[in-house]
Amino acid sequence: MRLISTVLALGLTFATPALSFSIDDLHAAVADEDFALLEQGLDTAQSEYLDGDRSADDIRALYIALSRSAPKMADFVKSWFESDRSNPQAQIARAWSLYNGSLQIALADNEYSREVVRSMQVDMNELIRAAWKTAPDLVPVEDAMIRGHGLHIDSQTPLEVMDLALERDPNWGSILRALHELHVTSAEVQKNFCMSVAEDFPPVDFGLIRHRCLMTLALWYGHPEMLDYAYKHLWDESDPELTVTRVAHFVTWTNFTGWTPEQIDWAERILLTHPVDQFELVYLAQIADTFQHKVRHAHGRHLGGNNSVHFVDVFRQERLAVAEDYLEKDPLNIGLIDLVDGVAHAQEMEMFLGKDGNVTYRPVATDLSADEKRARNKAAADQRHFLNLQRLTASPYHAEYWREYANSVARRNLPHSLFDGQAARQNAVIFSNDPLAQLEGLIGEIESNFRMIEQVEAMPKDELDRIPNWKSFYRNTDISQKVLCPYLRARALKKHLCESYPASDTRCRESVLGPAERQQRLLDRANGAPDCQGILSASPEELWYDLTDFSTATNQSRQ
């Protein structure tokens, strides 16, 4: 009997043997860029696992750490693989690193990102197949095959790989990763599967594993016969492994108009306080938004006891510390970035017991001075700019992330950065599935910049002398190249784009295209600028933007 697997399956907490190679040891090897030390530690961990002294989840944790998005970690794993391409440990670490990176890139969902993701997946699958040939007993290799990665015509099926894994080491993680293979099967097949995999465990674990398997399949895939069983046990708190799955199903699929106050309080408590790993945390963030919407609109109940307090804001605040901890280790995880963004500088909420006995929330009263508020706002803006750059680094083909970066970089009170967002906005046009929307944003930014320049031009000389940064900026800026010609080009391109949009699209109606007074002044100056001649007669292909490289578009080439 494998003691550690039994302990984990039952959720027991008594002492287990000390591990000879820990996550901290792994991070130390990466910090020292010591491939040999890492390999020695992983070899020792694998030997302990095969001897029954280390759990499958312990092995998973080591390789999950190697797959994190921290640039130093990703670079280390890539260099490690390139130094020894036949090493199955390096192969699978690189494969999972590529996989996690591809998830962030795929968020862009356009032809550019899809092509890059396809290429990453090809490389990932080749690495998984190579590692499977030489190290089929390596847990992250098994996991990859069980999840359907790396498969080819001659390979075992995911369920066959799972059987091999359970034969060597009965563990819930291998079963969990195989359940996707059951999603379109009958209730009878699902019940037989759960009975079969539970029999691989010691008798003391049989009931727990069978129940966990039945509950997970029912709550994930919703077969009516399986749900009958699941709903009888939905409020059973005996297995913490099922808590997130239970609350997710409750919030997403049950009839929310019939929720009781006690059920709502239960879901609220789980969302705010239940211990979770980083994957569950990001998942719960999505559930929290759905929960807020359903409770507010179906029950007329504003979670937090205050119409101005959104439950999602409370959720993000309550989960901030753990989200920041996870983000430190996985800084290009966009789900975690979204959780952290702006929370530390938002108004704090406090929890109290309302008159009706329910836990509610309210904004904490603050007595900040004007200087403190300015400092807080600056800190929030600086964080937003940094996190926008992190999103963009993780998913560089995402039009909205380019737009958000442009919004944060072009600060109107800093003359030297007035045009720093234009290249980013042009990239947003290129990568967008709706380029007209991004083009309107670019046109709006140019109009805003022109308004600032008009204000500088209208200043008396003595006033301009008192703001030397703006005076120097204005004198050294080629208005034609920075404002007039880009504006004329963007408007001409918009006109051409509108020819391929439906006539019903209000953005292309003449009344929308027609300039207001300030826009007309800008348009007149652009039409009269010698440098802008020829733009209106250019073809759509000539007007379309060239991609600006990442370093230049994010102004890093000047740093």
Side-chain angles (χ1 to χ4, degrees):
M1 178 188 299
R2 293 179 61 96
L3 172 63
I4 291 180
S5 292
T6 302
V7 168
L8 290 173
L10 293 173
L12 301 180
T13 58
F14 53 80
T16 56
L19 301 179
S20 60
F21 185 69
S22 67
I23 297 292
D24 289 341
D25 295 329
L26 181 148
H27 285 144
V30 172
D32 292 340
E33 300 182 355
D34 193 332
F35 300 153
L37 181 60
L38 175 67
E39 291 172 8
Q40 180 183 352
L42 291 176
D43 286 340
T44 300
Q46 181 69 3
S47 295
E48 292 173 345
Y49 167 67
L50 294 177
D51 290 341
D53 297 327
R54 187 186 283 255
S55 75
D57 281 341
D58 286 328
I59 300 295
R60 289 186 179 104
L62 293 172
Y63 284 88
I64 287 173
L66 287 169
S67 74
R68 299 296 189 216
S69 63
K72 183 174 180 61
M73 181 65 79
D75 291 344
F76 175 89
V77 169
K78 182 179 180 182
S79 298
W80 177 33
F81 165 68
E82 290 177 344
S83 73
D84 186 3
R85 289 176 172 266
S86 62
N87 182 340
Q89 295 168 329
Q91 289 169 339
I92 196 60
R94 176 62 175 160
W96 281 116
S97 180
L98 287 170
Y99 174 78
N100 286 336
S102 72
L103 294 181
Q104 311 305 313
I105 292 173
L107 294 173
D109 193 26
N110 57 40
E111 60 179 315
Y112 300 93
S113 65
R114 286 191 288 271
E115 182 61 32
V116 172
V117 168
R118 276 194 294 268
S119 176
M120 295 174 75
Q121 289 175 339
V122 168
D123 293 343
M124 176 191 78
N125 287 325
E126 288 179 353
L127 291 170
I128 292 169
R129 285 193 287 269
W132 175 252
K133 287 180 180 179
T134 57
D137 57 359
L138 203 56
V139 173
V141 178
E142 289 177 337
D143 285 350
M145 297 290 288
I146 290 171
R147 289 178 60 173
H149 304 303
L151 300 180
H152 59 93
I153 192 169
D154 296 323
S155 68
Q156 290 98 329
T157 67
L159 291 180
E160 288 172 338
V161 177
M162 182 207 68
D163 285 338
L164 293 173
L166 296 183
E167 182 179 335
R168 179 175 55 257
D169 170 31
N171 73 96
W172 171 246
S174 294
I175 299 170
L176 183 68
R177 288 162 175 80
L179 295 184
H180 65 91
E181 291 290 296
L182 281 296
H183 74 287
V184 293
T185 57
S186 67
E188 181 179 2
V189 169
Q190 293 180 12
K191 292 175 183 178
N192 290 339
F193 172 84
C194 292
M195 177 72 74
S196 175
V197 295
E199 290 173 345
D200 288 323
F201 287 76
V204 68
D205 298 343
F206 173 84
L208 172 68
I209 296 300
R210 177 178 174 275
H211 172 72
R212 185 182 291 174
C213 177
L214 290 171
M215 289 290 289
T216 304
L217 279 171
L219 297 178
W220 276 9
Y221 301 124
H223 193 289
E225 290 184 39
M226 297 290 285
L227 283 176
D228 289 342
Y229 176 86
Y231 286 159
K232 291 178 183 178
H233 301 278
L234 189 60
W235 307 107
D236 180 357
E237 301 276 10
S238 63
D239 186 1
E241 177 71 28
L242 293 171
T243 301
V244 171
T245 301
R246 288 164 50 228
V247 76
H249 182 90
F250 169 75
V251 171
T252 306
W253 295 109
T254 62
N255 179 9
F256 59 91
T257 60
W259 290 352
T260 67
E262 293 77 18
Q263 290 171 341
I264 292 173
D265 289 342
W266 169 80
E268 185 175 4
R269 174 174 55 83
I270 297 302
L271 288 167
L272 295 180
T273 65
H274 182 69
V276 289
D277 63 30
Q278 76 168 68
F279 308 105
E280 293 170 325
L281 179 60
V282 172
Y283 183 38
L284 285 188
Q286 302 169 16
I287 301 301
D289 185 62
T290 303
F291 182 60
Q292 169 183 280
H293 175 79
K294 289 184 175 180
V295 171
R296 174 171 294 180
H297 291 281
H299 296 265
R301 174 173 165 182
H302 292 266
L303 293 166
N306 186 315
N307 290 357
S308 65
V309 176
H310 295 285
F311 176 72
V312 170
D313 296 332
V314 175
F315 172 85
R316 294 175 71 215
Q317 187 177 96
E318 291 295 313
R319 294 293 192 170
L320 177 61
V322 67
E324 288 179 329
D325 181 58
Y326 289 144
L327 185 62
E328 183 179 357
K329 301 177 181 67
D330 201 8
L332 300 184
N333 184 309
I334 292 173
L336 293 174
I337 291 173
D338 290 344
L339 262 174
V340 167
D341 193 0
V343 180
H345 307 290
Q347 189 170 15
E348 186 179 355
M349 304 293 174
E350 64 179 349
M351 184 183 301
F352 69 100
L353 196 63
K355 294 179 179 179
D356 57 0
N358 291 321
V359 173
T360 57
Y361 309 88
R362 62 189 173 198
V364 175
T366 59
D367 190 23
L368 297 178
S369 68
D371 287 342
E372 289 172 330
K373 288 180 180 178
R374 280 193 292 270
R376 183 184 64 182
N377 292 340
K378 183 181 184 305
D382 289 343
Q383 184 198 51
R384 172 60 57 84
H385 176 61
F386 172 74
L387 293 180
N388 281 341
L389 182 58
Q390 293 292 87
R391 286 188 186 91
L392 201 49
T393 302
S395 193
Y397 309 98
H398 201 299
E400 279 301 300
Y401 295 161
W402 280 108
R403 182 190 66 81
E404 290 168 4
Y405 174 82
N407 285 343
S408 66
V409 76
R411 299 175 184 171
R412 297 297 181 253
N413 61 336
L414 299 175
H416 64 273
S417 68
L418 200 62
F419 304 112
D420 283 353
Q422 273 196 20
R425 287 198 181 277
Q426 291 174 5
N427 282 356
V429 174
I430 294 171
F431 291 129
S432 179
N433 293 322
D434 182 10
L436 182 58
Q438 299 297 341
L439 192 59
E440 285 195 312
L442 173 58
I443 290 172
E445 179 175 275
I446 297 173
E447 291 171 349
S448 179
N449 291 343
F450 179 69
R451 181 170 64 252
M452 297 294 294
I453 288 172
E454 276 196 321
Q455 292 174 2
V456 174
E457 289 175 336
M459 282 185 180
K461 182 178 181 305
D462 59 329
E463 289 187 23
L464 190 57
D465 288 341
R466 288 196 291 270
I467 47 174
N469 57 340
W470 279 100
K471 179 179 180 180
S472 174
F473 164 77
Y474 178 68
R475 287 184 173 178
N476 294 307
T477 297
D478 186 333
I479 303 300
S480 290
Q481 294 302 319
K482 292 292 187 180
V483 178
L484 304 182
C485 298
Y487 184 66
L488 204 60
R489 178 183 183 180
R491 283 183 58 86
L493 180 57
K494 178 177 179 179
K495 185 176 181 179
H496 283 294
L497 285 179
C498 281
E499 294 176 359
S500 61
Y501 277 72
S504 58
D505 195 318
T506 58
R507 296 172 297 180
C508 293
R509 291 177 183 173
E510 189 61 34
S511 59
V512 177
L513 286 173
E517 182 178 349
R518 180 179 291 111
Q519 294 169 320
Q520 187 63 58
R521 291 198 303 271
L522 172 54
L523 187 59
D524 290 343
R525 285 181 63 171
N527 283 325
D531 291 344
C532 305
Q533 299 303 310
I535 289 179
L536 294 180
S537 60
S539 67
E541 293 75 18
E542 293 170 323
L543 293 170
W544 189 250
Y545 299 109
D546 293 324
L547 182 66
T548 303
D549 69 86
F550 188 90
S551 178
T552 302
T554 56
N555 307 292
Q556 296 180 55
S557 58
R558 300 205 308 262
Q559 297 175 3

